[in-house]
Amino acid sequence: MGEKVIMIVAAGDAKIDNAKYKAQFGTKAKMLSFKEAKPLVGHAIGGVCPFTVNVGVETYLDVSLKRFHTVFPACGSMNSAIQISLEEYSDFINWIDVYKIL
């Protein structure tokens, strides 16, 4: 895979805080391009979800989601979503705080 792929799932009204991200991971955040998403993560843009991702993708949940009991992430395609508890159904590593609410 080359570079480490880190997926951070955050609330829709959250924006990355570059200083927090760098403090957490030791590097600058980089959003994957349309062409990079499917081969690196396993889902195309518009359908990226925190489950059934490629082996080696590190998934983290941002604390901006803790205010919701359930969320509605995409589930693999541009026209699908599911109501779930991410803690129960994603293979996440840990809760982190790298976003700021707009």
Side-chain angles (χ1 to χ4, degrees), residues 48-69:
V48 175
C49 61
F51 37 86
T52 65
V53 295
N54 289 343
V55 173
V57 174
E58 296 181 6
T59 303
Y60 295 87
L61 303 181
D62 186 72
V63 296
S64 61
L65 290 168
K66 284 197 170 192
R67 60 196 153 121
F68 306 108
H69 179 66

Side-chain angles (χ1 to χ4, degrees), residues 30-52:
K30 176 187 174 256
M31 184 73 72
L32 294 178
S33 71
F34 183 84
K35 289 182 177 181
E36 293 171 316
K38 180 134 179 141
L40 292 176
V41 176
H43 303 292
I45 298 294
V48 175
C49 61
F51 37 86
T52 65

Side-chain angles (χ1 to χ4, degrees), residues 2 14-15 27 40 44 52 57 61 68-70 73 80 83 91 98:
K15 181 179 178 183
T27 189
L40 292 176
T52 65
V57 174
L61 303 181
F68 306 108
H69 179 66
T70 59
S80 61
Q83 181 179 4
D91 189 20
V98 295

